[in-house]
């Protein structure tokens, strides 16, 4: 008897010569993997477009806040600065950002702000008795050290801390500008998106700047701040800027 199948009869399932697809067996109605999905849409979802096309209205990264129609960024223009993408994203980390504040202008602005607080504090110090520079023939340095360790001097230090930290925090939180920065046309802004620093960022920035300078390190701390501003790349951040995640830029 011949083993040939009658004409029109499909081969049996165990036929070793039958070509089978790698994927699952298509359903008998012909709507298998080779056919288009119902409605002509993408196999990855409805809508008809490629699954890799951006959503309508542009990429959410085109404008600050995400999505189409979002308002322009605080630095001007509609494109969000690529902060955070930085040198690791293959883009210029300063793209979309106004010019960084020149060191000279930052220094002048800081001197102006120091004088604004220092002059009233000097008057308060006089009211508290000031410094006694007279000596009784003893060691001058010991005399000065004794005065520093008095309760009166610690009170003056506390008043100074409140004055400098409060001034910097309130002015920076208001619009990113102290009096000195306004005169020099500078502004403090958040590094990631350019907005005005909030209370926590402004306070952190002021604390790191003023507490070491007024309590323990004095001139040494100011030297550290100056070196970090000059040497930091690419954003010219001092240690106080890094603590508050801020940057100082030129502003109209």
């Amino acid at each position: 008897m011949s083993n040939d199948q009658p004409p029109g009869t499909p081969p049996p399932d165990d036929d070793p010569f039958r070509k089978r697809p790698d994927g699952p067996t298509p359903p008998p109605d012909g709507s298998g993997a080779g056919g288009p999905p119902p409605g002509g849409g993408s196999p990855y979802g409805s809508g008809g477009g490629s699954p890799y096309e951006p959503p309508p209205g542009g990429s959410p990264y085109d404008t600050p806040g995400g999505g189409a129609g979002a308002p322009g960024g605080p630095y001007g223009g509609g494109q969000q600065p690529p902060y955070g993408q930085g040198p690791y994203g293959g883009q210029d980390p300063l793209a979309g950002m106004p010019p960084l504040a020149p060191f000279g202008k930052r220094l002048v602005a800081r001197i102006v702000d120091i004088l604004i607080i220092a002059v009233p504090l000097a008057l308060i110090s006089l009211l508290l008795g000031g410094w006694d520079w007279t000596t009784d023939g003893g060691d001058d340095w010991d005399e000065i050290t004794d005065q520093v360790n008095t309760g009166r001097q610690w009170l003056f230090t506390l008043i100074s801390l409140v004055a400098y930290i409060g001034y910097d925090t309130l002015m920076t939180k208001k619009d990113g500008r102290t009096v000195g920065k306004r005169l020099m046309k500078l502004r403090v802004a958040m590094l990631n998106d350019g907005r005005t620093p909030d209370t926590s960022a402004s306070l952190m920035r002021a604390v790191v700047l003023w507490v070491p300078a007024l309590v323990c390190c004095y001139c040494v701390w100011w030297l550290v701040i100056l070196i970090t501003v000059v040497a930091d790349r690419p954003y010219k951040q001092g240690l106080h800027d890094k603590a508050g995640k801020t940057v100082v830029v030129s502003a109209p």
Side-chain angles (χ1 to χ4, degrees):
M1 179 182 293
S2 175
N3 292 328
D4 295 335
Q5 298 291 332
T9 302
D13 291 339
D14 58 349
D15 185 350
F17 299 102
R18 182 181 178 184
K19 185 177 181 180
R20 292 180 174 84
D22 294 334
T25 304
D29 57 1
S31 59
S42 166
Y44 299 98
S46 60
S50 168
Y52 304 105
E53 292 177 358
S59 168
Y61 301 100
D62 289 340
T63 52
Y75 286 141
Q79 185 176 4
Q80 182 177 0
Y83 309 148
Q85 298 175 15
Y88 306 105
Q91 301 184 33
D92 180 3
L94 304 179
M97 186 177 183
L100 294 173
F103 173 77
K105 286 190 174 183
R106 289 188 67 169
L107 181 59
V108 172
R110 181 58 64 190
I111 293 174
V112 170
D113 292 330
I114 289 175
L115 291 177
I116 288 175
I117 304 300
V119 171
L121 286 178
L123 297 177
I124 295 175
S125 176
L126 292 176
L127 294 176
L128 293 176
W131 288 89
D132 182 11
W133 296 104
T134 63
T135 63
D136 297 327
D139 188 272
D140 292 346
W141 179 252
D142 290 340
E143 293 285 342
I144 295 175
T145 302
D146 290 342
Q147 293 183 60
V148 169
N149 292 329
T150 62
R152 182 178 64 187
Q153 185 58 32
W154 280 111
L155 175 61
F156 180 73
T157 300
L158 179 60
I159 294 174
S160 300
L161 283 172
V162 172
Y164 280 108
I165 293 176
Y167 169 81
D168 242 311
T169 300
L170 293 176
M171 298 296 285
T172 301
K173 175 182 178 295
K174 180 181 177 183
D175 59 1
R177 298 179 179 184
T178 59
V179 173
K181 286 182 173 60
R182 188 176 298 276
L183 291 175
M184 292 293 103
K185 299 185 182 301
L186 307 178
R187 184 171 80 87
V188 180
M190 296 303 294
L191 176 63
N192 61 339
D193 58 11
R195 60 185 169 85
T196 299
D198 56 18
T199 301
S200 61
S202 301
L203 179 60
M204 179 62 68
R205 189 176 189 273
V207 166
V208 172
L209 179 65
W210 288 110
V211 170
L214 296 175
V215 173
C216 61
C217 302
Y218 303 106
C219 296
V220 174
W221 186 247
W222 286 115
L223 183 60
V224 171
I225 294 295
L226 293 178
I227 291 175
T228 54
V229 170
V230 172
D232 183 70
R233 295 293 183 273
Y235 300 115
K236 298 182 180 180
Q237 291 176 295
L239 294 182
H240 57 307
D241 291 312
K242 292 185 180 295
K245 300 180 180 179
T246 60
V247 66
V248 181
V249 298
S250 298

